[in-house]
Amino acid sequence: MEFVLLGFTDIPQFQWFLFGIFLVIYMIILLGNGVIILITRVDATLQTPMYFFLSNFSFLEICYVSTTLPRMLMDLWTQKGTISFFTCATQMCFFLILGATECFLLAVMAYDRCVAICDPLHYPLVMRPQVCIGLVVASWVSSAPVQIGQTCQIFSLPFCGSRTINHFFCDIPPLLKLACGDIFVNEMVVYVFGILFVTVPFLLILGFYIRISSSILKLPANTGRTKAFSTCSSHITVVLLFYGSATVTYLKPKSNKHEGIDKLLSLFYTILTPMFNPIIYGLRNKDVRKISFLLTVN
């Protein structure tokens, strides 16, 4: 059985333009995040927990966007959106696993900043290499069994009638619209997992930054406050971009009236956030800017 991804076929006159735009964006994502990984590996001054997490986050962004964007580029190039049942299930499974990993890793990065600012004397002990590796591994593997189970549950539903997915990749909301029969239980499972993998990490991040803000406001010097806030600003920006669009997409009530808006929101957390990640961290982090300049000069 095959599905058909509609993608952006509602604007056929812009297919080649979109192909060029998305190809450039994919190159920027690969190059930008690859540079961050390279910089944090080769420069001895960046061998710290914060940059260890940042390099893992950049690698995650490359994997995350590669689950959807190459397929979308192929569909724009061939003008065909057919995708097999197995390929669709595989794409959705990896997308969900990597999306949940991103939520957890963003929470881990917020925890790192919280310890660095609120308890700097114990920071080297708390965030020792073994702990950092354990946090990263847990972020990568903890959601995999659940998301594999959720994928099996979704694709065990009967799909009768239309096989057309009004999206540019296989995702849960558009697939549930094609399912027959009573899908109330499936929708509730999606909401529960959405709360578990999206809302809970976001609340942890919020709690960490409340504590960070409380500690920063206790600092006597304004210069110290500015420096402390600047170390968190890049992470906060990425969190707002990712969580804002993902939360609206997965936790809002189902509707057929705003499918175009759903696609636009999906572009934010699947493509634009990975593209902005190296730009945000590169422009707002003086260490990354300095090493990037030196590598360019050499």
Side-chain angles (χ1 to χ4, degrees):
M1 187 175 69
E2 289 185 337
F3 293 105
V4 178
L5 293 168
L6 284 184
F8 301 97
T9 54
D10 52 333
I11 45 174
Q13 65 274 25
F14 292 108
Q15 294 292 295
W16 291 110
F17 174 75
L18 291 174
F19 176 83
I21 291 294
F22 290 134
L23 180 62
V24 171
I25 289 175
Y26 191 43
M27 293 297 104
I28 292 173
I29 292 171
L30 295 180
L31 181 62
N33 286 285
V35 167
I36 288 181
I37 295 171
L38 177 64
I39 289 172
T40 54
R41 288 287 185 266
V42 301
D43 189 80
T45 62
L46 301 184
Q47 303 301 309
T48 64
M50 183 178 76
Y51 291 106
F52 172 73
F53 294 133
L54 177 58
S55 65
N56 276 274
F57 186 71
S58 295
F59 177 70
L60 171 63
E61 293 286 54
I62 291 174
C63 297
Y64 182 64
V65 78
S66 295
T67 62
T68 57
L69 196 45
R71 176 78 203 192
M72 184 170 66
L73 289 171
M74 186 184 75
D75 290 342
L76 288 169
W77 178 267
T78 62
Q79 304 291 305
K80 297 177 182 178
T82 56
I83 183 171
S84 70
F85 186 89
F86 178 76
T87 304
C88 186
T90 302
Q91 183 188 54
M92 192 180 84
C93 184
F94 277 101
F95 176 79
L96 293 175
I97 291 173
L98 295 172
T101 301
E102 182 154 348
C103 293
F104 290 144
L105 198 53
L106 285 170
V108 168
M109 294 169 75
Y111 173 68
D112 171 70
R113 291 298 83 207
C114 181
V115 177
I117 294 173
C118 302
D119 195 10
L121 295 179
H122 294 95
Y123 180 72
L125 178 63
V126 175
M127 302 304 294
R128 57 191 183 274
Q130 299 91 326
V131 173
C132 294
I133 294 172
L135 289 171
V136 168
V137 171
S139 298
W140 277 90
V141 304
S142 57
S143 68
V146 176
Q147 300 299 2
I148 292 172
Q150 183 170 214
T151 301
C152 293
Q153 180 201 37
I154 296 295
F155 280 86
S156 64
L157 293 170
F159 295 101
C160 52
S162 175
R163 297 285 191 273
T164 302
I165 301 174
N166 193 7
H167 212 345
F168 57 88
F169 70 98
C170 293
D171 198 9
I172 292 177
L175 276 168
L176 284 178
K177 292 177 183 179
L178 303 182
C180 304
D182 186 9
I183 58 171
F184 175 77
V185 174
N186 303 91
E187 290 178 334
M188 288 301 101
V189 170
V190 171
Y191 280 117
V192 169
F193 286 156
I195 292 172
L196 178 63
F197 294 117
V198 178
T199 308
V200 171
F202 179 75
L203 291 176
L204 288 173
I205 293 171
L206 187 62
F208 291 140
Y209 275 111
I210 289 174
R211 188 180 176 193
I212 288 171
S213 300
S214 176
S215 298
I216 290 175
L217 292 175
K218 294 178 183 177
L219 296 175
N222 289 330
T223 54
R225 292 181 182 180
T226 303
K227 183 178 180 181
F229 272 122
S230 67
T231 62
C232 303
S233 58
S234 301
H235 182 257
I236 293 173
T237 305
V238 173
V239 167
L240 292 176
L241 281 173
F242 178 78
Y243 272 99
S245 54
T247 301
V248 172
T249 300
Y250 285 99
L251 298 183
K252 70 177 181 60
K254 185 179 72 171
S255 172
N256 292 322
K257 298 180 179 179
H258 307 292
E259 291 178 336
I261 296 176
D262 291 345
K263 289 183 187 178
L264 184 62
L265 289 170
S266 297
L267 282 175
F268 264 96
Y269 67 84
T270 58
I271 296 174
L272 296 182
T273 301
M275 182 185 72
F276 288 141
N277 173 49
I279 298 174
I280 292 169
Y281 279 102
L283 291 177
R284 301 190 67 88
N285 192 298
K286 64 179 183 179
D287 294 327
V288 173
R289 289 201 309 268
K290 181 177 68 175
I291 303 303
S292 299
F293 174 76
L294 292 175
L295 286 176
T296 304
V297 172
N298 293 332

